[in-house]
Structure formats: structure tokens, C-alpha cells
Amino acid sequence: MIKKLRGTYDILPEEVARWQYLEKKFKEIVERYGYREIRTPVIEETGLFTRSIGETTDIVEKEMYTFQDRKGRNVTLRPEGTASIVRAYLESGIKPEILTKFYYYGDMFRYDRPQKGRYREFRQFGIEAIGSASPALDAEVISLAMYMLESAGLIELELNINSVGCSECRRIYYDKLREYIRPFASVSTGNSGTFSTARLCATCQKRMDKNPLRIFDCKEEVCRKVLEKAPVITENLCQKCASAFEEVKKYLSVLNIPFVINPRLVRGLDYYTRTAFEVVCKKIDSPQQNALVAGGRYDSLIKDLGGPDTPAVGWAMGMERILLALEILKIDLPVEEKSGLYIASLGEVAFTEAFRIADRLRRNGFKVHLSGSGKSLKSQMREADRIGAGYTLILGGDELSRGVGILRDMNSSTQREIPLANLENELKTLL
Ligand SMILES: [Zn+2]
Ligand SMILES: [Zn+2]
């Protein structure tokens, strides 16, 4: 028997109800904030991701599903949503001076080590607001994310924010950071050997030249230790970035949204500028799983991908993480439990009538379950129970001859006769 691939999983119908509940709720909320849905391909040219996410990021270096198609093109299953949306935005020729608000929902792929809440195929719900550099917009998208999580019933949330600056402030900051890191990086520190036990991992040694900020993303204990006293970007912002960050904080305060400034929050993707943020659920212990939403500003990405200079901000939420957090917090989503009508019938004649009635009711807007003919009443009732029908209509020869059926309320287990001719009217108030 063929089994599912490692890192993937099936969402069975009983669980799908929870997903659908969240999807519906989230869509309804983002639309209130003016976002419109965009659907982009799951597969893109590899270059789109290497150019936007960054060559030296974990995603590009080791997590992408990249392969050659039959014509030898280098293609990749999307590991995140933003790059594709920016590509679609540029290809569609939308005027950059208009603030464009997109939301998306779909599957992403990363070849990561699978664990609870972390899969190789996972689902993200995200937004992108393209065309404004206003710090108020940063606060607005953060507020939106917080509101969505709260409306899903989540508690114990903590908003972490930081500014990762712009290319200007980074140029100066990178020099400072490299200076600080140098003793921990070179193999030949020579003299006292003070740093011999605290040497950066091989990956971080490589990162030092291209994008030293990424060192803060390293999970290795030795690197974390080295970075404890490292200069942070937040304290080395240029004038413009510093005042933009102040504005973001001001607008968050206007909305009474508490936040924690986390100077080590740099995000795993290269394209972020200025505001970076994460919302974590404090009840989840694993630091690799507790971020429910992550995002930030990416003012240079659109230009980097060949478009006009257009500022933008966005975030993505991990649906698996959100559902895991709800599970850990023991929060039940108010998903509908029993619904629809099950029609049980006794004998061939009654089944034919049930078959006709089921079709008629479905066309009139009712949700109706009907199984095949030739089953005992007992097994049909069991089936009605298992699929969670709200009511069961029982049709037997005797009832049919009188033009009635027996309607059983599956919640209260009470039953009564109802005329079949008037079925729609009777059911309208019940289903
Ligand atoms: Zn700056
Ligand atoms: Zn490292």
C-alpha cells in the first residue's frame, strides 16, 4: 500500500470543519479591511525565490522543492506567498501609486524537518499591502493580524516588533557587527584562545560576508551565545528608519496594542526592511513553533524584482500552528455539529421514493444524505448518527401509503409524523 509522503498529511472530513471555520472567518475579516483575494500558481521559476528570499537564507539554501521540468526549466514549488504576489502584481501592471491590498490562502512547500505543527506541505493565510510607506499601515496590518487571532479564540499572544532598517543603515551596522563577530569567526584567533570554545557555526561563518543579519536566525547554541552581546540593528538605525519605527510604535499605542521590542527579531527572509514582527503564542514552548504570524515591511523587494520603487508591507499566518495553538489551549471552535437530513427507507418501493425526495430536496437547497438501497433500518440509523445528521426521515411502506414519513430529531431522539407533500415547509424551520 502506498503511504503519504513524510512531512505531508491528510485532513479528514471531521477535521476539515475546523479549517473551514477559520478560513471563512479570516476571509470575512480581511475583506472588511479592504483586502481582495489573489490566487497565484503554486509553481514558479526558481529565480523568483532566490532573488527575493535571498541566496543565503535557509529556505533557498536547503528547504526548497526545486526540480527541472520536462523542458529543463528550473522550477520551484512556492515556499512562501509574497514573491509570487509581487510577480503577479508587476505582471498585471497595477499603478504603484494606488494602495493595493491582496490576501491569499494556500499551500506552501518547504523541505524541513517535520514535527508537530511543522510540515513540508503547509497552509498559509496572508496579506500584502502594496503602495504605501506609511508607518500607520504597518500598525494597521499588525492590528488586523492580532484581531484575527483573537477572533479565533486565541489568548496568551505576544507581539514582538523590531526594525531591520534599510540598506543605508545596514551598511554601517554590518561593519560594526562584522567587527564584533570577527574574533569568533576566524579559525586562527591565535593568542590566548579565549574564543576557542565560542566559534560560530560553519553556516554563520559563510553568512558573515553576504548577510550577517541572518546570524541572528541561527538556532545553534554557540552562535546564540556569541550574539548575546552583539550590537543590534535597532540601535543603529538611520534617522529616517528610526523615526519610522517611532511612528509604528505610536500608532500601535493609539490602537492599545501592547508590544515587545525584540532587537534579535530579523526574520528568515532577506527582503524585509524596517518593520519586522511576529506574534507568538506563549503557551507553545517550542521557539520553532510558537510564531503564529510573521511579517514586515519589504520596501525594496518590488524594485529588486525589476519593478518601480514601491513600498509594501505584509504578513503570513501558519494555519497548522494556529490550529495547534487552539488545541494546546483547549479552545474548541464553534463548528456545526449535527446538520442536514438523512433519509432512511425500508424496502425497494420506499427507497425509490426516498431517492426521488432526496433529489428534490437537494435542488431546493437542503443538505440531504441518502445511502444505497437494501440496508436494514438499524444500520441506516447508525449511519445517520455517524455522519452527524440533524434529522432523519424514515420512509416505510405503511407511511408511504398514507403520504407521510417519520421525522426523527437526532439531538433529542424524539420523532413525529410529517406529511411528505409539505416537506420543504416543515424542514425550512428545522435545517
Ligand atoms: Zn535606514
Ligand atoms: Zn550559526
Side-chain angles (χ1 to χ4, degrees), residues 200-205 207 215 217-220 222-224:
L200 291 175
C201 75
T203 317
C204 286
Q205 306 249 5
R207 282 169 175 161
I215 296 174
D217 262 348
C218 189
K219 314 270 186 310
E220 299 285 333
V222 57
C223 300
R224 283 174 175 256

Side-chain angles (χ1 to χ4, degrees), residues 243-260:
S243 69
F245 194 39
E246 286 309 310
E247 290 274 292
V248 173
K249 290 186 272 184
K250 183 191 88 185
Y251 283 112
L252 285 173
S253 305
V254 167
L255 300 178
N256 292 319
I257 298 173
F259 55 83
V260 174

